[in-house]
């Protein structure tokens, strides 16, 4: 039978983001993520063009990724223009995540199944599963304008990127006004 030490070791997270971590390193990783995320939240706080993910006051976000949505279209600055501005200013953000709601990809819309047709035309289901546009309008609206930034990396790198983002947003706001 396993020893108490072996069980404790097995239940302690040893791998975080593909690297071996113990509890102390995992705590440091989270602290650094929170500090780096704060840079981006500060960079966008005075603009209506980007809405950062809300974190309830009684919670602490671990920030493996900093998330926000681009809301500039509501203010006359298209998503396409924002994407071009990011590229021109060499600001590396993940904009649009996977482009559309996951259920709109062929994996879900085309019945590429095996055996009895499960999960799409499974005889155990009372009706077939159909994934089509409109199933979740919120996801379909949010996915293309979702902004994600990984929090791994030196603080200086995130500081520079957040400053560049802040300056770009100010520039776009002035041009769009």
């Amino acid at each position: 039978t396993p020893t108490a030490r072996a069980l404790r070791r097995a239940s302690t997270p040893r791998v975080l983001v593909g690297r071996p971590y113990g509890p102390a390193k995992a705590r440091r990783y989270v602290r650094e993520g929170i500090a780096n995320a704060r840079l981006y939240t500060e960079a966008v706080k005075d603009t209506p063009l980007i809405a950062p993910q809300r974190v309830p006051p009684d919670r602490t976000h671990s920030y493996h990724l900093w998330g926000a949505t681009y809301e500039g279209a509501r203010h006359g600055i298209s998503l396409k223009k924002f994407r071009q501005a990011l590229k021109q200013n060499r600001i590396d953000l993940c904009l649009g995540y996977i482009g559309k709601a996951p259920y709109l990809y062929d994996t879900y819309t085309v019945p590429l199944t095996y055996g009895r047709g499960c999960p799409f035309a499974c005889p155990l289901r009372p009706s077939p599963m159909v994934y089509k546009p409109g199933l979740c309008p919120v996801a379909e609206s949010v996915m293309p304008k979702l902004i994600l930034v990984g929090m791994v990396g030196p603080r200086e790198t995130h500081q520079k990127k957040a400053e560049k983002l802040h300056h770009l947003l100010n520039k776009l706001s002035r041009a769009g006004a």
Side-chain angles (χ1 to χ4, degrees), residues 35-139:
N36 288 338
R38 194 173 296 123
L39 298 170
Y40 294 96
T41 301
E42 282 294 312
V44 305
K45 76 176 184 179
D46 294 327
T47 179
L49 303 181
I50 292 183
Q53 178 182 1
R54 288 186 310 271
V55 180
D58 63 333
R59 312 280 167 71
T60 301
H61 195 306
S62 63
Y63 287 109
H64 172 64
L65 296 170
W66 178 83
T69 55
Y70 179 70
E71 303 297 337
R74 295 180 182 182
H75 303 279
I77 303 165
S78 72
L79 182 62
K80 182 179 179 181
K81 184 174 181 175
F82 180 60
R83 189 181 305 277
Q84 289 170 340
L86 287 172
K87 187 174 181 177
Q88 287 170 349
N89 289 275
R90 292 188 172 98
I91 302 172
D92 184 28
L93 303 176
C94 176
L95 180 60
Y97 187 44
I98 59 172
K100 58 185 174 181
Y103 59 84
L104 295 177
Y105 283 95
D106 287 352
T107 305
Y108 296 97
T109 60
V110 178
L112 305 169
T113 60
Y114 57 91
R116 297 184 291 182
C118 295
F120 298 98
C122 184
L124 304 174
R125 288 187 47 83
S127 61
M129 293 176 70
V130 179
Y131 294 101
K132 60 184 178 184
L135 183 65
C136 185
V138 173

Side-chain angles (χ1 to χ4, degrees), residues 6-43:
L7 289 173
R8 219 176 19 257
R9 228 181 21 241
S11 65
T12 301
R14 292 285 175 196
V15 176
L16 185 62
V17 194
R19 289 181 234 150
Y21 274 81
K25 286 186 180 181
R27 283 189 289 276
R28 184 173 61 233
Y29 173 86
V30 170
R31 274 194 315 274
E32 289 171 1
I34 291 169
N36 288 338
R38 194 173 296 123
L39 298 170
Y40 294 96
T41 301
E42 282 294 312

Side-chain angles (χ1 to χ4, degrees), residues 75-77 171-177:
H75 303 279
I77 303 165
K171 182 177 169 184
L172 289 173
S173 292
R174 285 191 305 270

